[in-house]
Amino acid sequence: MASERYARSLDAAVHVQTFTDQSINFLLQAAGFEKIATWQFGQDALELRRLLFPQDSNFIGCKEIHKKLTSSLDRVQESIDRSNLSDQCHLIAKKAF
């Protein structure tokens, strides 16, 4: 059933985020690194669309709502990213002297 599962934060049955900001900061400090910058991003809007509109969905009005959501995916994801709710984070760190 892998084709029906998406390893994103909206699908916690498959994927669990094991690192928090606090744990990442602790690990960086323990390793002697200093965080320089972070970039949070994700595919949460795509996952939300997949959850709301399964491929076999036949709800009345579903196609029109799906079309409208699809046309606004970038704006929805941008809002999620700016709210720090994204499912992914990259960071840049340097060795502290």
Side-chain angles (χ1 to χ4, degrees):
M1 298 269 194
S3 64
E4 297 174 8
R5 294 307 220 173
Y6 302 94
R8 303 284 180 222
S9 60
L10 291 176
D11 191 355
V14 172
H15 187 76
V16 176
Q17 300 290 353
T18 57
F19 295 98
T20 64
D21 288 341
Q22 184 179 6
S23 66
I24 290 170
N25 291 335
F26 173 80
L27 291 170
L28 287 172
Q29 184 178 16
F33 281 83
E34 175 186 350
K35 189 184 329 181
I36 302 299
T38 60
W39 174 39
Q40 289 190 275
F41 63 98
Q43 296 180 338
D44 311 271
L46 290 170
E47 302 308 319
L48 178 61
R49 183 181 65 180
R50 287 183 181 127
L51 288 171
L52 292 175
F53 303 104
Q55 291 181 359
D56 60 351
S57 180
N58 290 318
F59 297 118
I60 296 172
C62 182
K63 289 181 182 179
E64 185 61 30
I65 295 170
H66 182 272
K67 181 179 174 183
K68 288 181 179 183
L69 178 58
T70 298
S71 69
S72 61
L73 283 177
D74 287 342
R75 290 186 303 266
V76 171
Q77 186 61 52
E78 181 181 10
S79 177
I80 294 169
D81 293 347
R82 288 180 185 267
S83 300
N84 295 324
L85 297 172
S86 305
D87 67 346
Q88 299 176 46
C89 178
H90 286 190
L91 62 90
I92 298 173
K94 71 175 184 175
K95 187 72 173 169
F97 293 100

